[in-house]
Amino acid sequence: MEEGAIREPWRAVARHRLRGDRLLGPLMLAPAILYIVALVGFPLLLAIYLSFSNATTGSQTLNYVGLTNFARALDSTIFRAALTNTFVFTLVSEILVIVLGNVLALTLQQKFRGRPVVRFLILMPWAAPFALGAIGWKWMFDSLYSVVNWMLRAIHILGPHDFPQWLGVTKLAMAAIITVHVWRMLPFSAIVILAGLSAIPQEVLDAAAVDGASFPQRFWHILVPMLLPITTVAVLFGTVFTFTDLSLVYILTAGGPFNSTHVLSSWAFQVGIIAGDLAQGAAIALFLLPVLLVVAIGMLRTASRAEAGV
Amino acid sequence: MSRTFSKAIGRSGLYLSIAGFTFFAAFPFAWMAITVFKRILDLYNIHNNPFLFNLPPTMENIRLLFGETLFTRWLANTAFVGAFVVLITLLAAVPAGYSLARLARGWGQKFGIGIFLTYLVPPSLLFIPLARVVSALHLQDRFWALILVYPSFTIPFCTWLLMGFFKSVPAELEEAAMVDGCSRLGALRRIVLPISIAGLLTVVIFAFTLSIQEFVYALTFISPSAQKTVSVGVPTDLIRGDVYYWGALMAGALVATIPVAFLYSLFLDRFISGLTAGAFR
C-alpha cells in the first residue's frame, strides 16, 4: 500500500510526460530532418533531374533531353578510362589498405615504449586536412626535385641519371595516386580494426594457446573470424571514401597526362563545373550511385546481423 | 632456448613494423618541414643532398606566406566558417539526438540509422546540384555558401554521436528532476547537458575539424581568393602561373595541419567508435 502511494505521483507524471513527448519528440527532431532533406535529399533528386536536362552554369531554362547525357558520357573515351580508373583505384587501394591495416592494427596493439608518439605520427595522415597532405606529396613527386627519386637513386634502385616522371606518365601517376590514398586511409582502417581487436577477450586467445594451438592456428581460427565483421565495416567505409574521392586526383594530376588518370568524380568536376555543363557532369557523377547503394545495403546487413547477435 | 629465440624474432619484427609504418606516415610531413626553411637556390639544385641545409636556413618562405599571400585571411575565413558550422550543428543535433535517445519510442533506432546513412552520401554526388542551389540563393563565391552546406554532413554524424551519449545518461536522473517540477526541456538543460559535456565537446571538435578539412564544396562554390578557406586556398592559390612556391606552400600546409591533426587525433577514438556503432547497431 505504502509502496503504491510512493509510485502514484511517478505514474501520473509519466502519463503526463508521455502525452507531451509525443509532440515534443518530432518537434525536436524537425530542424535536423529539415536540414538533411533540404541539403542532401533535395540535391540528390536535383542531380537526377539535372542529368535528364540540358542545364549549364549559364542558362536559366531547362529542357528534358532524356538519356542523352548518359549516352554522351558512355561515348567518351575519357569517361570510359575514368570508370576503369575508379574501379582499379578503389580495388587496389582497398586491398592494400585492408592487408596493411590489419598488420598495423596488430602492431599498435602491442605494448612498446613511445607508443603514444608513434600512434600520433601514424594517425597524422588521416587527421590532417587531406588537401594539404596531398600538396606535400605533389612536391615529393616533383618532375626534377623529387625527394622520392633522390632517395631511390641514393640506394641505387634508380641509376644516377634516372628521373622518373611520377605524375607525367599514366601508369606511374596511377601508382602515385594509389600510394598517397593508401597513406591517407591506412590509419583509418587500422584504428577501426584495432577497435575490433581490443574487443576480442585475451582469455580466448590464451585458452587456445594453453590448449596447444599454434600461432597460425590461432590466427586463422580465432583472430580472422573474429576480425571479419569489423574488417567488413572498414572495407565498407573505405569503399565509400575511395570510390567517391575527388580531391586527390584533382590536386595530384588534375586528371593528366592527357585526361588519362581521371576518376568519375574528378571527370564530373571537370565537365560539370570547369566546363560548365552541369547536366553532363550530374550524369557522370550518378554513375557512382549503384556502388554506393550496394555499400548502404551491406551496412544495413551488418547492422541487422549485429542486432541479431551473430 | 627456441622460445626466447622466436620471441626475439617477434620483437624485432615488431620494431621493424613500427619503424616502417611510422616512416611511411610521417616522412611527408618531415620533408614538408625541411622544405619550409630551405633557400630557393638550395632547394632547386639536383646535385644537393635534399636533407641537408647546403645553404643556411631561412625564414623567407614563412615571411612570404604571411606577408604576401592571403594566408591569414584564409585562416580567418576558416575559423569563421567553422564557428558558424559548429553553432548550426549544435542547434540541430542536440535536440535531434535527445529526441532519438529519449522521446522516440520504437522508431528512434531506425530513424537514427537512417540519419546516419545520409552521412554516407558523398560530396561528389551533391556538388553539382548544390552549385545550382547556391547560385539560386546568390551565395556563389561567398563563404556563406559553405556555412549553409557544411552542416548537411556534420548534423547527421553529430546527431548520431549525441544520440549515443544521451542514451548513456541514466533516465532516472531526469525523471527525478521532472518529479521535482522540472519540465522536459528544463531537465535536458539542467541535468542532461551538463553531464554530457564530453559528448558536446566531441561534437564541437568534429564539426569544426570536418569543416576545416572539407575540400570539394569549397573548391566548387568559391573562386575569389579573399573568400577561400585554408584547405583550398593553399593548394590552389600559392601557384603563380606554372611556378609553385614550394617553401611557402609547405609552410601553409603545415601551419594549418598541425593544430587540426592534434585536435582530431585526441578525439579520433570517439569518432571511430561512433562510425562503427553506426554500422553495427
Side-chain angles (χ1 to χ4, degrees):
Chain A
M1 231 11 235
E2 214 180 314
E3 211 178 274
I6 294 169
R7 273 198 188 151
E8 239 2 80
W10 278 89
R11 236 177 243 163
V13 168
R15 223 176 298 131
H16 179 71
R17 291 294 166 210
L18 206 57
R19 229 172 296 141
D21 290 354
R22 220 167 274 157
L23 196 65
L24 194 61
L27 212 61
M28 287 174 81
L29 198 55
I33 298 288
L34 285 177
Y35 218 107
I36 294 169
V37 168
L39 288 164
V40 180
F42 169 69
L44 200 57
L45 294 178
L46 185 59
I48 296 169
Y49 181 72
L50 285 175
S51 70
F52 288 100
S53 78
N54 60 353
T56 60
T57 29
S59 75
Q60 292 304 312
T61 53
L62 292 181
N63 293 307
Y64 174 78
V65 297
L67 289 165
T68 317
N69 289 311
F70 295 95
R72 261 173 58 213
L74 285 165
D75 251 353
S76 137
T77 44
I78 301 175
F79 171 84
R80 291 200 299 266
L83 193 63
T84 316
N85 287 343
T86 310
F87 278 98
V88 170
F89 170 56
T90 307
L91 202 67
V92 176
S93 32
E94 271 308 295
I95 290 172
L96 287 171
V97 161
I98 290 309
V99 172
L100 292 173
N102 274 291
V103 177
L104 180 55
L106 287 168
T107 304
L108 284 177
Q109 203 202 12
Q110 309 299 316
K111 288 194 179 69
F112 53 86
R113 211 177 301 162
R115 199 174 113 185
V117 179
V118 167
R119 205 184 110 101
F120 175 73
L121 290 176
I122 283 177
L123 290 182
M124 278 274 283
W126 172 258
F130 180 58
L132 302 179
I135 200 80
W137 278 93
K138 192 182 169 90
W139 168 225
M140 283 167 60
F141 288 132
D142 188 76
S143 55
L144 261 186
Y145 309 109
S146 163
V147 69
V148 175
N149 287 348
W150 188 89
M151 289 191 292
L152 292 176
R153 282 195 300 271
I155 55 174
H156 299 292
I157 288 179
L158 290 177
H161 304 294
D162 286 346
F163 289 80
Q165 302 294 302
W166 284 102
L167 304 178
V169 181
T170 307
K171 285 216 165 115
L172 287 181
M174 281 308 289
I177 289 168
I178 289 169
T179 305
V180 180
H181 191 73
V182 169
W183 174 76
R184 181 212 358 201
M185 289 302 295
L186 189 53
F188 169 78
S189 51
I191 294 293
V192 170
I193 295 166
L194 192 60
L197 264 181
S198 41
I200 297 178
Q202 187 62 40
E203 297 92 73
V204 177
L205 294 174
D206 290 345
V210 169
D211 291 345
S214 66
F215 179 74
Q217 279 176 328
R218 274 176 284 159
F219 183 77
W220 285 111
H221 296 295
I222 300 177
L223 225 45
V224 169
M226 287 185 104
L227 279 178
L228 209 59
I230 195 81
T231 306
T232 313
V233 172
V235 170
L236 291 174
F237 279 110
T239 305
V240 176
F241 294 145
T242 312
F243 197 69
T244 66
D245 187 74
L246 194 167
S247 50
L248 178 55
V249 168
Y250 179 84
I251 290 176
L252 226 47
T253 67
F258 309 111
N259 290 321
S260 63
T261 59
H262 271 298
V263 288
L264 285 177
S265 315
S266 66
W267 183 233
F269 183 82
Q270 178 69 36
V271 172
I273 303 296
I274 296 180
D277 191 344
L278 284 178
Q280 178 76 34
I284 293 166
L286 279 177
F287 279 88
L288 296 169
L289 206 53
V291 170
L292 289 175
L293 285 177
V294 170
V295 171
I297 291 167
M299 206 75 94
L300 287 174
R301 283 187 59 173
T302 41
S304 58
R305 214 174 305 154
E307 231 167 303
V310 178
Chain B
M1 181 66 188
S2 83
R3 215 195 149 93
T4 42
F5 181 68
S6 76
K7 217 173 179 179
I9 294 233
R11 209 62 194 164
S12 51
L14 173 67
Y15 285 120
L16 206 67
S17 169
I18 294 168
F21 281 117
T22 311
F23 177 79
F24 183 47
F27 177 78
F29 297 110
W31 175 233
M32 286 158 95
I34 293 172
T35 305
V36 170
F37 299 104
K38 280 212 168 199
R39 285 169 198 272
I40 287 180
L41 287 177
D42 186 357
L43 215 50
Y44 300 154
N45 181 341
I46 54 168
H47 302 295
N48 281 349
N49 178 336
F51 298 106
L52 300 179
F53 283 93
N54 306 282
L55 295 170
T58 176
M59 295 299 280
E60 177 58 24
N61 294 319
I62 294 175
R63 199 198 55 76
L64 181 77
L65 177 72
F66 282 94
E68 287 169 38
T69 72
L70 288 168
F71 186 68
T72 45
R73 179 70 197 263
W74 300 331
L75 287 180
N77 289 348
T78 309
F80 192 83
V81 169
F84 262 90
V85 171
V86 166
L87 190 72
I88 295 173
T89 305
L90 285 178
L91 285 177
V94 168
Y98 183 78
S99 167
L100 290 175
R102 281 286 195 276
L103 305 176
R105 314 223 179 260
W107 47 272
Q109 194 63 34
K110 291 217 158 60
F111 237 83
I113 291 178
I115 288 182
F116 176 78
L117 280 180
T118 62
Y119 178 72
L120 293 180
V121 180
S124 306
L125 216 51
L126 301 178
F127 70 92
I128 288 175
L130 280 175
R132 189 93 184 179
V133 171
V134 161
S135 86
L137 296 173
H138 300 291
L139 290 173
Q140 187 98 44
D141 287 339
R142 297 160 70 192
F143 58 59
W144 289 99
L146 306 181
I147 293 172
L148 176 75
V149 169
Y150 286 178
S152 69
F153 58 79
T154 56
I155 289 175
F157 189 70
C158 293
T159 299
W160 174 260
L161 273 184
L162 285 171
M163 177 177 120
F165 273 107
F166 291 147
K167 271 188 178 162
S168 66
V169 177
E172 292 79 30
L173 288 177
E174 292 156 76
E175 278 160 17
M178 287 191 288
V179 169
D180 292 344
C182 241
S183 68
R184 179 61 90 166
L185 292 176
L188 171 63
R189 193 166 63 81
R190 287 194 206 134
I191 311 286
V192 182
L193 290 186
I195 297 179
S196 312
I197 197 77
L200 294 173
L201 194 63
T202 309
V203 165
V204 168
I205 299 288
F206 279 122
F208 197 74
T209 50
L210 288 178
S211 48
I212 296 176
Q213 291 174 329
E214 207 287 325
F215 182 76
V216 175
Y217 293 141
L219 179 72
T220 308
F221 303 151
I222 292 170
S223 334
S225 286
Q227 294 284 311
K228 283 183 179 173
T229 55
V230 75
S231 51
V232 169
V234 170
T236 59
D237 253 50
L238 292 180
I239 301 163
R240 315 249 162 96
D242 267 341
V243 183
Y244 291 80
Y245 288 77
W246 286 118
L249 255 170
M250 298 301 112
L254 274 185
V255 168
T257 290
I258 290 167
V260 175
F262 193 72
L263 270 181
Y264 193 82
S265 59
L266 279 181
F267 288 85
L268 192 68
D269 287 329
R270 289 222 179 101
F271 177 75
I272 299 293
S273 64
L275 275 186
T276 49
F280 270 142
R281 240 176 252 158

